[in-house]
Amino acid sequence: MLLSIENVHRRYALPRTHLFRAPPVIPAVQGISLTLDRGEILGIVGESGSGKSTLARMVMGFERPDRGRVWLNGQDSATLPRAARRQTQMVFQDPYDSLDPRRSIGWSVAEPLLATSMTTTERHARAADRLARVGLSPADMARYPHEFSGGQRQRIAIARAIAPDPALLVADEPVAALDVSVQAQVLNLLMDLNRTMGLAMLFISHDLAVVASIADRIAVMQHGRIVETGPTAQIVAAPEHPYTQALFAAA
Amino acid sequence: MLEVSGLSVAFKAGLALRGAALTLAKGERLGIAGESGSGKTLLGLSLLGMAPEAAHVTGSVQFDGQELVGAPETALRSLRGQRIAMVFQEPLSALNPLRRVGDLIAEPLRLHRGLSRAAALDRAAALLAEVGLPDPTARLRQYPHEMSGGQRQRVTIALALACDPDLLIADEPTTALDVQVAAHILDLLRDLSTRRRMALILISHDLRAIARVTDRLAILYGGDIVEQGPTADVLAAPRHPYTQGLIAARPVLSASRDRRQPLPTIPGNVPALADLPPGCRFSGRCPVELPHCHSTRPTGNPACHREAT
Ligand SMILES: Nc1ncnc2c1ncn2[C@@H]1O[C@H](COP(=O)(O)OP(=O)(O)OP(=O)(O)O)[C@@H](O)[C@H]1O
Ligand SMILES: Nc1ncnc2c1ncn2[C@@H]1O[C@H](COP(=O)(O)OP(=O)(O)O)[C@@H](O)[C@H]1O
Ligand code: SF4
Ligand SMILES: [Mg+2]
Ligand SMILES: [Mg+2]
């Protein structure tokens, strides 16, 4: 098993409103357990504020759960050495979250490889290969992010994420900001990488139709909990939980 | 009520809108759809005489018999305050962050309707109730940043409704919101239009949103209206190859879809203004292109050379 999330919790304290009262607390994630096999795509769907991004940050090790654990390849993600951390990479809704506007895209795609034993030539070749895989030209390496369209920028962010050959890609709303026609292009790219590289994915979206078009399994989140989970075909054919049914009505 | 003909918008780089023609009756709901960069926002702004400085606008926009293209700014401003209103994608940018919600809505009422402060605040509370905000009286004292995205968008709609407009133009009003909040706002816009016999133009790249709200639909690509008709007909039986591609690319919920098959797409991107082909704007991306498509502009509805043969 590639990823195992074991009963994780995460709460955020808000600023104190009264001097003598405890500050209000938001229970963003309240006891989630999930597993993901190699090469599998797990879709997470839920409304805004349901805790999807908080869960993603804990899987990436950006934040520690208050309770529970995240295991990657059988290792506790909280104590993972840096090299093993490269096994999981992330793409965001806004590609600028991972691209530096002042750096050429060749630099941005090769950057995750800087701490490896690869030589400059090897890193350059890898970046060129990854850009080609996402449908861009290696000749684009010298160009800057603002010279590309939104969809192309998201492809570049994906090229960067797959540069170190990760086993797991965490994608948080990767197509939410894109036009319908470009959305389908990026979803096809992700499916293609899943097939050709065996890349497993935690694919997060608020849009059930988008999640269902790509995921093998779906977990439905509400108020920091998983309310329903199962194979995509089953969830789509016969949603059981009222909240899943409500998502269908909105889709 | 609204009659648009030959409306064009030129920038240095090229024509961003080429001779748009539209009509809208009182209380009617029109959707305008297309990929980003196709000219939706520009069309909406041009209807209000609000196109950017750098734009050269020609053609005609008649609102209740009054010509708006080239009309003096004072005439346009009084029209915008009272008879035509607009709601934009990002509610925060439309709301002054330093002013309480109540004062924001009361201001146009005092200005255009001459209401006293107390009367205007009463009316503001009624408007907030009408757009479905709980506790409207308490909300009057809140600042925009103290509300969620969906609540803020309700406030901008209340603000737009303040002077009982005959026409509301909403540009991507729900794009920044999550699905369920978006569905509520869309239903609200539809109901308000019915209740007040207010015409509505809904601009969106989201065909689901358009289907939920509008009676008629115009598809825009590269500054051309390529197809228009009753919303249900256009969505069920699109005739223009661009409309067909747009609809096919939309992910649909289906239990039988083989997820190892790629989703249908429209290849490539919308070209930059300067690179748009002179004939059919869609040539170069069109799967059924003919040899003369690149150089000769198709006319008719749908505007496609395939349709003529
Ligand atoms: N750093 C933080 N400090 C305080 N509260 C936070 C923080 N991060 C998240 N939250 C709160 O935790 C809850 C879950 O947030 P999260 O960002 O995980 O939601 P989400 O499902 O990703 O939503 P969206 O679809 O809007 O991205 C929300 O109530 C949010 O306001
Ligand atoms: N101020 C401007 N200067 C130059 N070109 C512009 C300006 N505003 C819009 N455009 C161009 O006009 C076209 C239509 O833009 P817009 O109406 O914003 O599209 P949409 O709302 O459909 O995304 C695009 O090619 C855009 O780059
Ligand atoms: S006119 Fe030609 S290029 Fe344009 S949509 Fe029709 S067939 Fe395609
Ligand atoms: Mg999030
Ligand atoms: Mg726009």
Side-chain angles (χ1 to χ4, degrees), chain B residues 35-42 89 171-172 203 205:
Chain B
E35 283 165 279
S36 83
S38 55
K40 305 182 296 296
T41 298
L42 218 46
Q89 173 167 348
D171 187 0
E172 308 269 8
I203 299 176
H205 70 262

Side-chain angles (χ1 to χ4, degrees), chain B residues 4-308:
Chain B
V4 178
S5 58
L7 185 64
S8 297
V9 176
F11 289 108
K12 263 212 201 80
L15 272 177
L17 205 60
R18 280 203 304 189
L22 289 169
T23 58
L24 194 65
K26 200 163 171 50
E28 204 179 4
R29 290 183 289 262
L30 170 72
I32 296 178
E35 283 165 279
S36 83
S38 55
K40 305 182 296 296
T41 298
L42 218 46
L43 175 56
L45 292 174
S46 308
L47 295 181
L48 293 164
M50 283 171 73
E53 289 273 323
H56 181 62
V57 182
T58 52
S60 163
V61 177
Q62 301 244 339
F63 181 75
D64 256 354
Q66 186 185 351
E67 176 60 54
L68 303 192
V69 174
E73 185 56 32
T74 45
L76 290 172
R77 202 172 306 139
S78 98
L79 213 55
R80 283 202 293 265
Q82 313 203 52
R83 303 202 50 201
I84 309 180
M86 190 149 183
V87 172
F88 297 94
Q89 173 167 348
E90 187 30 72
L92 256 194
S93 64
L95 300 174
N96 183 342
L98 301 177
R99 310 214 31 212
R100 294 178 200 275
V101 163
D103 294 327
L104 280 171
I105 303 175
E107 182 176 281
L109 291 166
R110 299 175 67 190
L111 202 69
H112 295 297
R113 292 286 150 98
L115 295 188
S116 70
R117 178 154 196 272
L121 282 175
D122 272 353
R123 179 86 189 103
L127 284 163
L128 289 178
E130 185 173 2
V131 298
L133 268 185
D135 272 333
T137 318
R139 300 276 174 195
L140 294 175
R141 302 188 47 77
Q142 275 193 313
Y143 289 95
H145 71 264
E146 294 172 339
M147 298 183 153
S148 78
Q151 290 171 335
R152 280 198 291 263
Q153 196 56 289
R154 285 177 200 264
V155 171
T156 58
I157 294 171
L159 184 59
L161 294 177
C163 290
D164 291 315
D166 299 308
L167 168 63
L168 179 67
I169 302 178
D171 187 0
E172 308 269 8
T174 55
T175 306
L177 306 175
D178 84 80
V179 257
Q180 290 184 311
V181 180
H184 285 140
I185 298 280
L186 292 170
D187 292 347
L188 170 69
L189 287 171
R190 191 190 49 220
D191 296 346
L192 287 169
S193 141
T194 311
R195 221 183 304 147
R196 294 166 159 255
R197 295 222 338 117
M198 174 181 76
L200 178 70
I201 296 182
L202 177 67
I203 299 176
S204 176
H205 70 262
D206 180 359
L207 295 171
R208 270 184 292 184
I210 299 259
R212 205 174 173 107
V213 175
T214 64
D215 320 310
R216 280 196 306 124
L217 169 57
I219 305 284
L220 207 58
Y221 181 81
D224 287 355
I225 294 179
V226 297
E227 175 166 12
Q228 57 177 313
T231 304
D233 297 356
V234 174
L235 293 180
R239 288 161 63 196
H240 194 281
Y242 176 64
T243 319
Q244 291 168 349
L246 210 54
I247 290 172
R250 183 171 57 143
V252 285
L253 270 173
S254 144
S256 59
R257 174 178 136 71
D258 173 5
R259 274 170 304 95
R260 300 298 141 188
Q261 285 305 109
L263 300 160
T265 60
I266 304 174
N269 301 290
V270 186
L273 224 45
D275 302 330
L276 283 170
C280 174
R281 298 300 209 190
F282 193 45
S283 60
R285 296 180 80 192
C286 176
V288 293
E289 190 167 336
L290 298 165
H292 58 296
C293 291
H294 179 84
S295 56
T296 316
R297 181 175 178 190
T299 52
N301 178 32
C304 171
H305 291 305
R306 286 268 170 198
E307 204 55 33

